[in-house]
């Protein structure tokens, strides 16, 4: 979680600050989930929650709060819902489950 979150913060936040978008559109793929058979990363549902909380913060700071996500991947069907719920809870300003 920490490596992907740190890299995203380092790269994405600078781009958002420079670009000042009208909205942020997230291609919400959950292939990086630690149990995904194709992704090969080690993200956890808690990591997706934390990442989504940063996206929400950036949307508020740089895009007038405008953010949208499109579910596009993730192949551990048994845990995909945990990840999606985490993102939605983060975007709603709720604590993780």
């Amino acid at each position: 979680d920490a490596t992907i979150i740190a890299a995203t913060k380092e790269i994405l936040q600078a781009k958002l600050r420079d670009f000042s978008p009208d909205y942020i559109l997230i291609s919400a793929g959950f292939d990086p989930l630690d149990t995904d058979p194709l992704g090969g990363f080690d993200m956890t549902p808690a990591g997706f929650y934390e990442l989504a909380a940063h996206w929400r913060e950036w949307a508020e700071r740089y895009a007038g709060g405008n953010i949208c996500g499109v579910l596009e991947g993730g192949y551990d069907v048994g845990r995909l819902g945990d990840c999606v719920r985490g993102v939605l809870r983060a975007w709603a300003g709720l604590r993780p489950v």
Side-chain angles (χ1 to χ4, degrees), residues 53-70:
H54 289 297
W55 293 334
R56 178 178 183 249
E57 174 191 333
W58 298 331
E60 290 173 359
R61 184 178 301 163
Y62 304 114
N66 299 316
I67 191 168
C68 178
V70 178

Side-chain angles (χ1 to χ4, degrees), residues 16-56:
L16 290 169
R17 185 175 42 249
D18 293 344
F19 185 64
S20 188
D22 292 326
Y23 60 89
I24 295 174
L25 176 62
I26 302 295
S27 178
F30 296 95
D31 306 53
L33 183 62
D34 55 359
T35 55
D36 188 278
L38 301 178
F41 292 91
D42 289 321
M43 291 278 299
T44 66
F48 282 108
Y49 172 89
E50 185 179 343
L51 194 57
H54 289 297
W55 293 334
R56 178 178 183 249

